[in-house]
Amino acid sequence: DAGVIQSPRHEVTEMGQEVTLRCKPISGHNSLFWYRQTMMRGLELLIYFNNNVPIDDSGMPEDRFSAKMPNASFSTLKIQPSEPRDSAVYFCASLYRGTDTQYFGPGTRLTVL
Amino acid sequence: QQQVKQSPQSLIVQKGGISIINCAYENTAFDYFPWYQQFPGKGPALLIAIRPDVSEKKEGRFTISFNKSAKQFSLHIMDSQPGDSATYFCAASWEGVSGNTGKLIFGQGTTLQVKP
């Protein structure tokens, strides 16, 4: 199994630019989670989907952040416009509902200059 | 009430020693308590987990102790090894109307260094 796949692994952009992070969950998993990790705030859940439907987006910091899951094998997290305070590592995780274990991807390190 | 408080922030242990990390929570609806291990440059990975119907769970050198009345749980790493050097996160989640929500609330993390 390839595990959760995220791309890109590193992204450096300038303030004001649009950033799109991508995630491919483990095949057969039907829940998907987006997290953000910073030194100050630790690991924060941004949004999660069940069966491609957004269930809870209360962790999304601002309207500049949006997430989609057009099908069971792909999700995007978009930041538009990006700001320096968005610099963080963004993780995607997936889970098979009825089980407890979330499997995390390797993360995308985002730097906004 | 949704917070999980973790301590210490960092820990240095000699090889062969016992590492202990503690977490506390307020929300009595939490019913699943996992510990995740994260190495630099990697995503967190599940290490061990417990539900409140038992007070202890052991897997190899790793043990979770759970105190429901005190709303505390801890991770013990016996015979700590340099390869255990990583960041450890406790977490908690709760049951929704259709099963475990999967929504994890993480502690702040503990950076463990095991000296040879």
Side-chain angles (χ1 to χ4, degrees):
Chain A
D1 196 329
V4 176
I5 298 172
Q6 291 187 246
S7 64
R9 293 295 312 278
H10 303 272
E11 177 81 36
V12 180
T13 190
E14 293 189 346
M15 183 174 65
Q17 296 298 306
E18 177 180 295
V19 175
T20 299
L21 311 181
R22 297 172 175 80
C23 175
K24 178 179 170 56
I26 292 173
S27 178
H29 283 193
N30 44 15
S31 291
L32 184 139
F33 305 79
W34 281 101
Y35 292 89
R36 177 172 68 175
Q37 185 174 38
T38 61
M39 289 296 293
M40 289 296 296
R41 300 175 67 89
L43 266 167
E44 303 173 277
L45 177 65
L46 300 177
I47 184 171
Y48 77 96
F49 297 81
N50 286 342
N51 297 317
N52 313 338
V53 176
I55 301 300
D56 186 343
D57 65 354
S58 59
M60 296 285 262
E62 300 172 33
D63 291 346
R64 299 184 295 106
F65 286 69
S66 62
K68 294 182 179 180
M69 192 164 186
N71 57 63
S73 59
F74 184 65
S75 177
T76 60
L77 178 67
K78 186 176 293 187
I79 309 172
Q80 165 66 14
S82 58
E83 296 183 3
R85 61 194 167 121
D86 302 330
S87 296
V89 181
Y90 291 80
F91 288 103
C92 173
S94 70
L95 167 150
Y96 181 73
R97 279 187 65 75
T99 66
D100 295 319
T101 304
Q102 289 189 28
Y103 294 85
F104 282 73
T108 295
R109 181 173 293 279
L110 173 65
T111 303
V112 183
L113 302 175
Chain B
Q1 196 175 14
Q2 294 289 60
Q3 283 186 324
V4 178
K5 296 182 179 179
Q6 183 172 345
S7 63
Q9 189 173 355
S10 63
L11 183 61
I12 300 174
V13 173
Q14 292 292 326
K15 179 182 175 181
I18 302 174
S19 304
I20 301 174
I21 306 171
N22 301 298
C23 285
Y25 64 97
E26 289 294 326
N27 190 346
T28 54
F30 287 148
D31 64 352
Y32 174 67
F33 302 89
W35 285 89
Y36 277 78
Q37 180 187 55
Q38 184 179 27
F39 292 104
K42 305 290 186 183
L46 179 68
L47 184 64
I48 186 172
I50 197 168
R51 290 196 176 274
D53 52 343
V54 296
S55 60
E56 185 175 283
K57 183 173 182 180
K58 184 176 181 180
E59 291 184 0
R61 296 184 295 108
F62 301 92
T63 300
I64 299 179
S65 296
F66 185 82
N67 186 329
K68 189 174 181 178
S69 61
K71 291 185 282 187
Q72 295 175 349
F73 58 111
S74 60
L75 175 69
H76 296 236
I77 306 174
M78 311 299 287
D79 187 26
S80 299
Q81 300 295 313
D84 297 331
S85 298
T87 300
Y88 293 82
F89 294 93
C90 62
S93 69
W94 65 98
E95 198 83 4
V97 293
S98 55
N100 192 293
T101 64
K103 184 174 176 178
L104 288 173
I105 307 298
F106 282 90
Q108 285 297 98
T110 297
T111 301
L112 171 65
Q113 181 183 357
V114 181
K115 290 193 168 182

